[in-house]
Amino acid sequence: MHLAYPAVLAALLFCVGLYGVLARRNAILVLMSVELMLNAVNLNLVAFDVWLRDTLHSGQALTLFTIAIAAAEIGIGLAIVLAVYRNRGTSDIDRLRDTAETDEAEKLPDTAETDPADADADADADTDAGGTEPTPGRVDGKTGKTKKAEATT
């Protein structure tokens, strides 16, 4: 048997898998396409192992490792796809792009938490500029506003 036959078959399998990864929108079909690509690699490993007549059969050993990794990848991948499908109601990859993280600065308004030391520096700057003395108190860390000092008895 010539080496060209399994090599051409592996190339065709890999191309079909690559097309499936690039063109499909369904996450399960993308995972199946990745499996086709891995099987093409396995076919090449075994074909070259037979062609080289390796006494250690390293191509077949690598194929077993690849099959184990592929099984783990499919198990984890399907678990993720099922979890996303339960939360979103779809496994369409294009519709899942809205779950990407966005920059926090775009979402939040321009309110910075005020540090009490910064509030004292701002109060000194207002007094030096001829302003009135601010009401003594402490700065609330959540809202950034100055609270009036409470009288202690």
Side-chain angles (χ1 to χ4, degrees), residues 42-118:
N42 288 339
L43 182 60
N44 269 334
L45 285 172
V46 171
F48 278 98
D49 181 52
V50 170
W51 184 63
L52 293 174
R53 291 184 172 87
D54 186 18
T55 57
L56 295 176
H57 298 293
S58 57
Q60 294 177 18
L62 286 174
T63 299
L64 289 176
F65 284 118
T66 307
I67 290 171
I69 289 171
E73 176 253 336
I74 281 297
I76 292 171
L78 282 177
I80 291 171
V81 168
L82 287 175
V84 167
Y85 182 77
R86 285 182 186 163
N87 289 335
R88 296 285 180 178
T90 184
S91 62
D92 188 14
I93 294 174
D94 287 337
R95 291 189 183 180
L96 297 178
R97 289 187 182 161
D98 63 345
T99 61
E101 294 182 19
T102 58
D103 190 19
E104 291 294 325
E106 293 176 3
K107 287 195 240 179
L108 298 175
D110 206 17
T111 57
E113 292 186 18
T114 306
D115 190 17
D118 292 339

Side-chain angles (χ1 to χ4, degrees), residues 3 5-18 32-48 59 63 66-67 70:
L3 182 62
Y5 297 133
V8 168
L9 180 61
L12 288 174
L13 275 176
F14 193 85
C15 289
V16 169
L18 185 64
M32 289 174 59
S33 299
V34 170
E35 286 298 314
L36 273 177
M37 293 168 62
L38 286 172
N39 286 329
V41 170
N42 288 339
L43 182 60
N44 269 334
L45 285 172
V46 171
F48 278 98
T63 299
T66 307
I67 290 171

